[in-house]
Amino acid sequence: MAHPDPYRLTGTPPADSRGAGTGGVDLTRTLLWALLVLSAAANMATSYGGAAPWVNVACGVVTLFSAGTLVVRRLRGRR
């Protein structure tokens, strides 16, 4: 009786879920990181520059949103 080899690779490997045409670059993640850095820099500049408080709060909300979205995407990707 022949036993199949459990370590033998058969068939084609599964496709990469991050996009084959982009070389594995996740555009959404890249844009979120750029948004995070820019909004954090703007938040710091408005804090030290004495801008209106609503501008500082808006920059902080955008920073919080982009950081939170990056964390959620990272945690969901581990499953």
Side-chain angles (χ1 to χ4, degrees):
M1 180 158 124
H3 295 290
D5 186 5
Y7 300 106
R8 181 180 175 113
L9 296 176
T10 57
T12 59
D16 189 9
S17 64
R18 291 186 290 181
T22 60
V25 175
D26 187 5
L27 182 62
T28 305
R29 188 182 71 165
T30 303
L31 291 175
L32 281 171
W33 271 109
L35 183 65
L36 176 70
V37 170
L38 290 174
S39 62
N43 194 5
M44 184 177 63
T46 57
S47 292
Y48 290 120
W54 66 269
V55 176
N56 194 356
V57 170
C59 292
V61 167
V62 172
T63 303
L64 184 63
F65 169 75
S66 58
T69 305
L70 282 168
V71 168
V72 167
R73 286 174 51 90
R74 172 68 179 204
L75 291 176
R76 284 187 181 172
R78 288 187 179 182
R79 293 184 195 176

